[in-house]
Amino acid sequence: MRNIDKYKNAFINALDLEENDVSEDIALGVTREWDSIGHMALISEMEDVFNVSIDSEWITEFNSYLSGIELLKRLGVDFINE
């Protein structure tokens, strides 16, 4: 499975979303399911799926679908060569 698909599935699993609900437009506090509790579930899911550790200072930077991809790229997850 490609990393972008794993990423999308992490949102589906952590936030209990339908596949068609996951898009580049979803964001913390804007998407109903992505509240503070959902945010911590999503962080945990990302750490498990991609075998990374997200520092507490970066948790606040992860506030949208696209910012999460950028954060994971900084942690060495490759989304380009898929």
Side-chain angles (χ1 to χ4, degrees):
M1 180 181 290
R2 299 177 321 151
N3 283 338
I4 194 68
D5 295 325
K6 291 179 186 178
Y7 184 70
K8 186 174 184 176
N9 284 334
F11 278 87
I12 292 167
N13 294 333
L15 301 179
D16 197 27
L17 297 171
E18 297 296 323
E19 186 173 354
N20 59 354
D21 291 334
V22 180
S23 71
E24 293 182 357
D25 297 330
I26 65 175
L28 175 64
V30 175
T31 304
R32 183 175 49 87
E33 296 83 358
W34 195 353
D35 56 12
S36 59
I37 294 170
H39 190 61
M40 294 315 295
L42 189 53
I43 293 291
S44 178
E45 184 78 11
M46 295 295 172
E47 289 180 328
D48 289 345
V49 168
F50 294 104
N51 195 29
V52 296
S53 179
I54 300 173
D55 290 337
S56 58
E57 64 205 40
W58 289 357
I59 289 175
T60 57
E61 291 179 27
F62 178 28
N63 57 14
S64 69
Y65 185 88
L66 294 176
S67 70
I69 290 173
E70 292 306 311
L71 171 61
L72 288 170
K73 284 180 182 178
R74 282 190 280 168
L75 294 170
V77 178
D78 187 8
F79 288 93
I80 297 171
N81 298 319
E82 295 188 284

